[in-house]
Amino acid sequence: MNYLQKLTKRKYMKYILYTIYFIYFLYRKYMKTIIKSISFIIILCFMVLGVRNILAVPKSAINEKTGIHDIHKYPNSYDVCFIGRSTVISNISCQELYEQYGIAGVTAGVSGQIFPMSLYTFEEVMNYQSPKVVFLDTRILFESAKSEMKSYQDEAALHFTLDDIKTLSIKRKALEKAKLYNEEIDEWDYYSKLYYSHDNWKNISQKNFLKYDDKLTTNMHGNTLYLDVANNIQNTYATSRREETAVITRQTQKYVSDMLKICEESGSDLVLLTGYVHSTKAQHHAVTELAHRLNLKFLDINQFLIKTNFDYNMDLYDAVHFNLSGAIKMTHLIGDFLTKNYKFSDKRNEDAYSRYENYRVEFDRHKKYLSSKQKLLSSVSFYDYLQTLKNLNTEENIIFITIYGDAMNKLTLKEAQLLQDLGLRANLYGKKDGSYAAVIYKDNIQEKFNFLNAVKIEDEIGKLEFEISSGGTKSGERSSILINEKEYFSGGKGFNFFIYNTEFEQILNTCYFDTTSTVNPSQSRNKSLLTINKQEETAPNVWESVE
């Protein structure tokens, strides 16, 4: 009796051998079918992943990089968390909070979010984190019931909140509430990345195949870093009256109480935060009463504008949102509040928080860019502006200069010297009626001057193709600053400047000084040119058909 026969006589062994033989038989007979099936499944998976990326709604940089991702990626690692709308996204800098105070913060906000959605986001945060302090944006306290209903009906708004929530019970609860206002909501859309697939196959455009990349709106820890500066924003808080009405509904107060209960159960403090200046005294009073009734701390930047040195001319991106310098000032107010009322271990010495260290260089680069822009904007007179230009880094900024009309009529000897200090060779003092254009970048300076005729400089720097022309009085021609076939000439008489930053690929400054009629004139700007960056910096968040 051989070994195989002995083996088969053992209990259960022959059944095992029969099973192995049967599997081998199936493999030999159906091998091709099995390979085809596996190949089909693999190809199908790749197709699904590809279609998912194509059919995903194009989002803005703000909604694409919400801090909720960090909540999931780094569980139980944050000292403070910010909940609310776009104001906590843009008006706070968790990177600055870490660098200056050693406090680890994250913003789990969604642009345009209503309170119920913020409550779901908050619940998700508390499932993954145990923050010592939770800041609630008070801007959502004044939403009406009509706005709440409209938001539930807006599927794009629902997606911005629910797509990033992993806890199924929270997602299910939100969808049940949404269905009370919109019965046609398809829950599958919120559990799969293939949402909008039926309708939007017809409306796929080129945008769906391009990765959106905006160099001017960088996100760090859920915060958007805005680098533009708004103009002529009024201080609504200062002009408002306390007698005006600001209502926090009973339902909204219940939402706050629900958040407070969860915080108490988790050992976290809930703090109400008004981190925006487009507010009123009546709203401040309403929040103060709510905070007093619920025994909550309340921090309002409008009470500390002098202390923070907040500048309406320099620290705003628009009437509601701060740019990076405004966000840093708001963050210092929050940091001082936190260190005064709580104790935190310094996270700057811990390897687990290297993600903040990795952002240091990029963060400094953004601060430097905005600082250069603000210095140019605050240089009101022609003389001061030229002094600022002298200190501008031309390794990463291109200075375009063109004159229009009799620009040298009121040009002083001191200003002519300052122009030469920029590296220009021509002495323009006393050169009345002439045409002049110049381009300054690194060590390469191009300039042209002519008494009688217009002048033009054509060239390209990297991706930038430009055509700069100047029309003096005698030439009778108009000046032009053509960048990549787009006109940026501000239309003003005198000296026109256009400064382009090559690092961010954005307009740093554009203005003119009317030296045809005024000695040391003030800076003037064309408002239509100042908004170019804002128009181009946000990707569409709705589907658009190909026209």
Side-chain angles (χ1 to χ4, degrees):
M1 183 180 294
N2 58 33
Y3 177 76
L4 185 62
Q5 289 175 329
K6 289 181 179 180
L7 193 65
T8 55
K9 288 183 177 297
R10 293 183 181 180
K11 192 177 183 180
Y12 304 120
M13 185 56 67
K14 64 179 180 180
Y15 300 110
I16 294 173
L17 291 175
Y18 288 153
T19 303
I20 292 173
Y21 177 76
F22 180 70
I23 292 172
Y24 177 73
F25 169 76
L26 290 177
Y27 172 75
R28 289 294 301 271
K29 186 170 184 178
Y30 299 105
M31 181 174 62
K32 290 184 179 180
T33 304
I34 292 171
I35 292 174
K36 287 180 181 179
S37 299
I38 294 174
S39 300
F40 173 77
I41 293 172
I42 293 173
I43 293 171
L44 180 63
C45 289
F46 276 108
M47 288 179 64
V48 169
L49 289 173
V51 169
R52 183 186 69 177
N53 291 330
I54 293 171
L55 290 180
V57 178
K59 296 180 181 180
S60 70
I62 297 176
N63 291 314
E64 204 169 62
K65 298 179 181 178
T66 174
I68 201 72
H69 300 300
D70 293 338
I71 294 293
H72 297 139
K73 190 174 182 180
Y74 308 104
N76 294 319
S77 65
Y78 289 105
D79 297 317
V80 298
C81 181
F82 299 91
I83 302 291
R85 307 182 64 177
S86 58
T87 39
V88 292
I89 296 174
S90 62
N91 297 10
I92 296 162
S93 171
C94 291
Q95 181 67 22
E96 182 74 7
L97 189 63
Y98 167 83
E99 290 189 12
Q100 298 301 319
Y101 298 89
I103 297 173
V106 66
T107 295
V110 176
S111 181
Q113 196 176 56
I114 59 169
F115 206 152
M117 291 293 124
S118 292
L119 193 55
Y120 300 135
T121 299
F122 166 72
E123 289 180 17
E124 178 76 358
V125 168
M126 301 306 283
N127 279 348
Y128 286 84
Q129 301 293 329
S130 301
K132 185 171 289 188
V133 182
V134 175
F135 286 95
L136 175 64
D137 177 18
T138 62
R139 192 163 166 238
I140 61 175
L141 300 181
F142 299 97
E143 291 292 343
S144 64
K146 184 178 180 181
S147 297
E148 179 176 330
M149 179 182 69
K150 185 177 179 182
S151 186
Y152 272 118
Q153 293 171 336
D154 183 355
E155 292 205 45
L158 284 174
H159 276 296
F160 286 154
T161 295
L162 301 183
D163 285 354
D164 295 319
I165 289 179
K166 291 184 177 182
T167 308
L168 296 182
S169 60
I170 296 175
K171 188 173 290 193
R172 194 181 306 113
K173 181 168 57 175
L175 290 172
E176 287 175 357
K177 183 72 177 289
K179 279 192 169 184
L180 297 176
Y181 300 97
N182 183 1
E183 295 180 355
E184 296 181 359
I185 288 177
D186 186 352
E187 291 190 28
W188 167 254
D189 287 350
Y190 297 87
Y191 294 106
S192 165
K193 294 295 183 182
L194 290 176
Y195 52 81
Y196 298 117
S197 54
H198 294 294
D199 294 333
N200 294 313
W201 270 116
K202 300 180 296 183
N203 298 324
I204 292 178
S205 69
Q206 185 182 9
K207 296 184 180 72
N208 298 102
F209 296 88
L210 298 175
K211 183 179 179 181
Y212 179 64
D213 181 25
D214 176 24
K215 294 180 181 294
L216 204 67
T217 49
T218 298
N219 295 68
M220 297 180 182
H221 322 295
N223 298 128
T224 297
L225 279 56
Y226 282 136
L227 302 179
D228 216 339
V229 180
N231 293 277
N232 301 319
I233 303 297
Q234 301 299 317
N235 187 339
T236 56
Y237 187 86
T239 57
S240 66
R241 296 184 303 171
R242 181 176 167 178
E243 308 84 67
E244 296 171 351
T245 303
V247 178
I248 301 176
T249 66
R250 289 184 179 180
Q251 181 61 55
T252 298
Q253 293 181 45
K254 183 181 182 302
Y255 290 146
V256 178
S257 297
D258 292 342
M259 285 188 70
L260 177 59
K261 183 178 180 181
I262 295 174
C263 281
E264 289 174 342
E265 292 173 352
S266 303
S268 304
D269 266 13
L270 180 64
V271 177
L272 302 179
L273 177 67
T274 299
Y276 56 98
V277 294
H278 191 66
S279 181
T280 65
K281 294 184 179 69
Q283 288 177 337
H284 174 82
H285 179 66
V287 177
T288 300
E289 287 190 335
L290 177 63
H292 179 73
R293 186 171 66 81
L294 297 178
N295 195 27
L296 297 176
K297 296 182 180 69
F298 172 37
L299 186 63
D300 185 348
I301 190 176
N302 294 284
Q303 304 295 306
F304 301 95
L305 294 179
I306 296 177
K307 178 183 177 181
T308 57
N309 195 29
F310 193 89
D311 189 343
Y312 269 78
N313 294 316
M314 290 294 155
D315 296 327
L316 288 169
Y317 174 78
D318 57 32
V320 176
H321 305 97
F322 300 167
N323 57 28
L324 180 54
S325 66
I328 287 174
K329 291 177 180 179
M330 179 68 209
T331 302
H332 288 176
L333 178 64
I334 292 171
D336 291 343
F337 168 83
L338 288 172
T339 53
K340 180 180 178 181
N341 292 279
Y342 305 92
K343 289 184 178 181
F344 299 92
S345 61
D346 193 336
K347 303 302 188 298
R348 287 171 292 193
N349 301 318
E350 298 184 22
D351 293 339
Y353 295 88
S354 60
R355 59 188 180 274
Y356 289 93
E357 294 296 332
N358 295 337
Y359 274 122
R360 274 188 184 271
V361 174
E362 186 72 5
F363 191 56
D364 288 342
R365 197 169 69 92
H366 282 71
K367 289 192 290 186
K368 181 181 176 183
Y369 172 88
L370 182 56
S371 176
S372 296
K373 172 172 281 194
Q374 291 171 328
K375 286 177 182 177
L376 289 167
L377 289 172
S378 60
S379 299
V380 178
S381 71
F382 189 33
Y383 178 81
D384 289 341
Y385 188 84
L386 293 175
Q387 290 274 33
T388 303
L389 276 188
K390 183 180 177 180
N391 297 318
L392 187 68
N393 183 7
T394 55
E395 291 292 318
E396 58 187 43
N397 293 291
I398 309 172
I399 303 174
F400 298 94
I401 305 173
T402 183
I403 66 170
Y404 181 48
D406 190 5
M408 273 68 87
N409 184 44
K410 296 294 183 178
L411 183 69
T412 66
L413 181 61
K414 184 182 290 186
E415 291 160 353
Q417 181 59 55
L418 283 172
L419 285 166
Q420 288 186 303
D421 289 344
L422 299 178
L424 302 173
R425 294 179 295 276
N427 183 356
L428 299 178
Y429 181 69
K431 304 288 180 65
K432 298 183 63 175
D433 300 326
S435 301
Y436 180 78
V439 179
I440 304 171
Y441 181 55
K442 297 183 176 179
D443 295 328
N444 182 24
I445 297 177
Q446 303 178 61
E447 58 180 327
K448 289 185 179 181
F449 174 82
N450 194 292
F451 268 116
L452 299 176
N453 303 315
V455 297
K456 182 185 295 185
I457 300 175
E458 294 181 83
D459 203 348
E460 61 181 66
I461 299 175
K463 300 178 182 178
L464 218 64
E465 295 182 4
F466 58 86
E467 180 182 300
I468 313 301
S469 59
S470 171
T473 304
K474 290 185 178 180
S475 72
E477 296 188 28
R478 186 176 177 83
S479 297
S480 174
I481 300 176
L482 207 61
I483 308 293
N484 290 339
E485 300 182 350
K486 190 169 185 177
E487 182 60 68
Y488 289 100
F489 176 58
S490 58
K493 289 185 177 180
F495 279 82
N496 286 261
F497 294 87
F498 179 87
I499 302 173
Y500 183 84
N501 183 275
T502 57
E503 290 287 310
F504 287 87
E505 299 179 5
Q506 294 290 335
I507 302 170
L508 186 69
N509 181 260
T510 176
C511 65
Y512 66 94
F513 297 87
D514 187 3
T515 51
T516 64
S517 59
T518 308
V519 174
N520 193 24
S522 298
Q523 182 179 154
S524 299
R525 284 170 281 166
N526 187 321
K527 292 183 179 179
S528 64
L529 293 179
L530 294 173
T531 60
I532 289 174
N533 288 343
K534 292 184 182 181
Q535 292 170 352
E536 295 179 347
E537 74 181 11
T538 304
N541 58 13
V542 293
W543 285 90
E544 295 179 0
S545 59
V546 179
E547 296 179 351

